[in-house]
């Protein structure tokens, strides 16, 4: 069976990717520092604890497992925090990825599926963001990821490193069997915070600004079901295996929903109410991020069939009821 090294495999998206890889006949080896991940989430293949900044540990893991490809999820991903602690993002995300790339090349592994972000596009009002849109990130998280994309381009030229780069829009939902799901400490993401507010697990949700230039004044995002997202990653491994070469794909549905619309659907799906108040804008937030999503559909054959808000919230709610990890 082909081995894929999954950095961040103990995290939210990485753990779902391991499940999808195993189902597709691969052996997913998780490499994770457990700083934000959960050992309990490693259920679908071997686990190697380690930090991307530890080059010797990376070399050891490459020598032991000899992966054919890497899926690279390990990263810090909080927009707000990145504005306060940019060094943490440049070090962990960007310098960590440089270490990983150099370890891959030293081991002769030349294929990476990379988890990038729509935050690399920045705040481009009224533009549908496709893969050719300008990349003008407005927060350190987005900048740290854009820099990794640039590194991948350079190492493609110098060393023949091939990559499929996925620029995610907002990811939500959970595995339908609730074996794995979203659990961040602290939690900063909208859907789990709404669910916590509905069942009284924490106080009210604070809506970060309702004075944006959108119909109801709250920010608009394009939400993708995590299982659809990881299906695309498995297709990405196949794309590279088939020799199709480096390519960038957006992963979004092309439909945008405001914070208030997400709250309304969550109230309908759960039968609860979302206690909330409205606070100031969060630094680094873009008004609207909606994907031009044709390329992944036409070239990769990706269909985000589970990505309705109802389905994502229903699956997230089922996971929420398990109590999560820890
Ligand atoms: N959001 C909010 N209150 C919260 C958390 C998030 O109003 O407590 C908003 C946030 O401003 C953004 C959207 O919900 O417009 C999605 O934020 P999230 O942090 O989930 O993902 P991001 O878009 O930052 O990747």
């Amino acid at each position: 069976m082909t081995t894929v090294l999954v950095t961040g495999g103990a995290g939210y998206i990485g753990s779902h990717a391991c499940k999808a890889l195993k189902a597709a006949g691969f052996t997913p080896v998780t490499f994770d520092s457990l700083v934000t991940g959960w050992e309990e989430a490693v259920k679908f293949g071997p686990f190697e604890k380690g930090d991307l900044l530890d080059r010797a540990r990376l070399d050891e893991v490459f020598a032991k497992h000899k992966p054919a490809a890497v899926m690279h999820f390990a990263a810090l991903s909080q927009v707000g925090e990145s504005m306060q602690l940019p060094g943490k993002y440049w070090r962990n995300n960007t310098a960590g990825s440089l270490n990983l790339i150099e370890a891959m090349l030293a081991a002769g592994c030349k294929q990476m599926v990379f988890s990038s972000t729509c935050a690399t596009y920045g705040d481009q009002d009224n533009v549908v963001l496709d893969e050719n849109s300008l990349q003008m990130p407005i927060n350190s998280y987005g900048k740290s990821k854009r820099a990794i994309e640039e590194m991948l381009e350079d190492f493609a030229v110098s060393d023949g490193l091939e990559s499929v780069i996925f620029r995610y829009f907002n990811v939500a939902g959970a595995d339908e069997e609730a074996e794995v799901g979203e659990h961040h400490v602290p939690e900063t993401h909208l859907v789990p915070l709404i669910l916590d507010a509905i069942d009284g697990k924490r106080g009210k949700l604070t809506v970060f600004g309702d004075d944006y230039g959108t119909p109801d004044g709250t920010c608009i995002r394009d939400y993708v079901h995590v299982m659809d997202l990881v299906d695309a990653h498995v297709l990405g491994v196949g794309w590279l295996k088939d020799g199709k070469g480096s390519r960038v794909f957006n992963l979004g549905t092309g439909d945008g929903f405001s914070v208030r619309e997400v709250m309304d659907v969550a109230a309908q799906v759960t039968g609860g109410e979302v206690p909330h108040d409205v606070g100031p804008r969060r630094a680094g937030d873009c008004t609207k991020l909606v994907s031009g999503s044709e390329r992944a559909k036409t070239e990769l054959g990706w269909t985000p069939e589970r990505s309705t808000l109802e389905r994502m919230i229903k699956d997230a709610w089922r996971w929420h009821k398990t109590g999560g990890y820890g």
Side-chain angles (χ1 to χ4, degrees):
M1 277 203 295
T2 307
T3 296
V4 177
L5 186 73
V6 182
T7 73
Y12 170 40
I13 302 172
S15 60
H16 288 78
C18 289
K19 178 161 181 160
L21 280 167
K22 187 176 179 201
F26 294 92
T27 300
V29 176
T30 289
F31 183 87
D32 200 297
S33 66
L34 300 182
V35 170
T36 57
W38 302 89
E39 195 162 354
E40 295 158 80
V42 184
K43 298 184 170 177
F44 311 104
F47 176 49
E48 297 288 353
K49 188 170 180 214
D51 196 297
L52 291 178
L53 293 169
D54 183 348
R55 173 63 194 274
R57 180 73 183 122
L58 278 168
D59 288 342
E60 223 171 71
V61 170
F62 274 98
K64 179 170 167 193
H65 294 282
K66 302 184 175 48
V70 172
M71 269 192 198
H72 180 28
F73 296 98
L76 300 168
S77 63
Q78 294 175 32
V79 166
E81 183 190 55
S82 80
M83 299 299 285
Q84 274 143 22
L85 300 170
K88 196 171 163 186
Y89 281 69
W90 285 103
R91 185 171 301 103
N92 280 282
N93 292 359
T94 313
S97 296
L98 177 58
N99 252 356
L100 173 65
I101 290 169
E102 290 183 334
M104 282 175 71
L105 294 174
C109 175
K110 294 195 172 188
Q111 297 187 336
M112 179 191 281
V113 174
F114 173 57
S115 155
S116 188
T117 168
C118 64
T120 61
Y121 292 122
D123 214 356
Q124 305 185 37
D125 263 359
N126 301 318
V127 178
V128 174
L129 299 166
D130 68 22
E131 294 84 352
N132 296 316
S133 297
L134 290 173
Q135 290 181 285
M136 303 184 292
I138 62 165
N139 51 59
S140 303
Y141 166 62
K143 289 179 191 176
S144 75
K145 289 278 187 168
R146 180 183 60 181
I148 300 164
E149 292 194 13
E150 289 172 348
M151 284 192 308
L152 289 171
E153 267 178 37
D154 286 355
F155 283 101
V157 175
S158 62
D159 292 83
L161 178 65
E162 295 179 338
S163 60
V164 166
I165 294 175
F166 287 122
R167 295 187 188 138
Y168 307 166
F169 285 68
N170 287 60
V171 187
D175 151 39
E176 293 88 344
E177 280 119 341
E179 282 188 279
V180 284
E182 183 168 17
H183 190 152
H184 298 108
V185 178
E187 189 52 77
T188 62
H189 292 106
L190 183 64
V191 170
L193 287 175
I194 288 176
L195 300 182
D196 281 353
I198 288 175
D199 81 357
K201 257 180 93 178
R202 68 177 85 221
K204 291 180 186 172
L205 175 83
T206 301
V207 174
F208 293 145
D210 66 354
D211 58 348
Y212 285 93
T214 60
D216 67 20
T218 63
C219 291
I220 292 178
R221 297 286 182 273
D222 180 336
Y223 293 86
V224 187
H225 194 295
V226 64
M227 289 309 296
D228 284 340
L229 188 95
V230 298
D231 279 354
H233 288 65
V234 176
L235 292 171
V237 171
W239 173 280
L240 291 172
K241 239 178 140 184
D242 291 347
K244 293 184 177 167
S246 296
R247 196 77 171 136
V248 176
F249 297 98
N250 279 352
L251 294 180
T253 64
D255 294 322
F257 296 94
S258 71
V259 172
R260 283 203 187 277
E261 287 173 313
V262 178
M263 289 162 58
D264 289 346
V265 173
Q268 279 163 29
V269 168
T270 62
E273 279 180 18
V274 188
H276 66 278
D277 47 31
V278 177
R281 293 182 177 197
R282 180 173 66 177
D285 266 347
C286 300
T287 305
K288 180 177 173 183
L289 289 167
V290 177
S291 171
S293 55
E294 282 315 302
R295 186 184 286 181
K297 291 175 189 159
T298 55
E299 295 187 19
L300 267 185
W302 180 60
T303 31
E305 57 191 9
R306 310 170 183 88
S307 295
T308 61
L309 268 187
E310 288 76 8
R311 174 78 182 266
M312 287 184 268
I313 290 169
K314 201 170 142 223
D315 290 344
W317 186 236
R318 186 184 305 112
W319 164 254
H320 175 94
K321 293 277 185 201
T322 68
Y325 307 119

